[in-house]
Amino acid sequence: MGLTMSEFATSTAPADVVRRQYLASAAGDLAALRATLAPDVEWTEMAGFPLAGTYRTPEGVTAGVMERLGEDWDGWTAHDDTYVADGENVVVLARYTATHKTTGRLIDVRVAHHFVVRGGLIVRFEQFTDTALVRDAMSR
């Protein structure tokens, strides 16, 4: 039996917290996304990715990653499809889709995300993706 919407909204189960993060991101609700992140979150975008680096604090993550993706891409979405949960670790297999605003090129690329959730908040995130496909879409 699944959770009710109110149970899901307050669940501290790691996979539920991660799923709320994806839903908030897809809805463009940065406040709801920040609410899933620990104050000392470490959010790492993969080396070679346009926003490569580690971002800290919920505000740092949304300003440094989500808002910047929105500036450069139309319809940036992470489509989460498979969850593998082991204690505080949640690995999500997903797909990024978006159109680069300058080049008009579309991306449709697989991605894996590793989250660590403690106390109902995401404390760590690491991205794995084919950065060359993303960079190619940004090139004229």
Side-chain angles (χ1 to χ4, degrees):
M1 187 86 107
L3 298 175
T4 66
M5 284 307 289
S6 62
E7 289 169 335
F8 172 73
T10 58
S11 172
T12 59
D16 292 340
V17 173
V18 169
R19 178 71 177 134
R20 283 198 304 273
Q21 179 274 150
Y22 282 106
L23 292 170
S25 179
D29 187 343
L30 297 184
L33 192 152
R34 284 190 291 272
T36 66
L37 304 177
D40 60 346
V41 65
E42 291 184 0
W43 186 281
T44 302
E45 298 287 316
M46 190 169 180
F49 192 72
L51 304 176
T54 299
Y55 301 83
R56 291 175 173 80
T57 77
E59 295 75 18
V61 170
T62 54
V65 180
M66 288 73 182
E67 291 178 15
R68 288 178 57 198
L69 288 171
E71 291 170 5
D72 296 336
W73 300 86
D74 282 322
W76 183 277
T77 305
H79 307 272
D80 51 322
D81 55 44
T82 302
Y83 283 65
V84 180
D86 180 18
E88 65 185 15
N89 292 284
V90 180
V91 174
V92 180
L93 304 179
R95 178 174 302 285
Y96 289 147
T97 59
T99 303
H100 194 262
K101 288 182 179 180
T102 303
T103 66
R105 291 188 181 165
L106 174 70
I107 60 164
D108 185 345
V109 61
R110 292 295 286 164
V111 60
H113 292 155
H114 174 216
F115 295 87
V116 178
V117 180
R118 289 190 193 119
L121 295 172
I122 296 166
V123 296
R124 197 166 0 176
F125 165 89
E126 188 174 4
Q127 170 204 58
F128 302 89
T129 192
D130 187 336
T131 59
L133 290 177
V134 177
R135 289 195 172 277
D136 285 351
M138 298 173 69
S139 302
R140 291 186 183 269

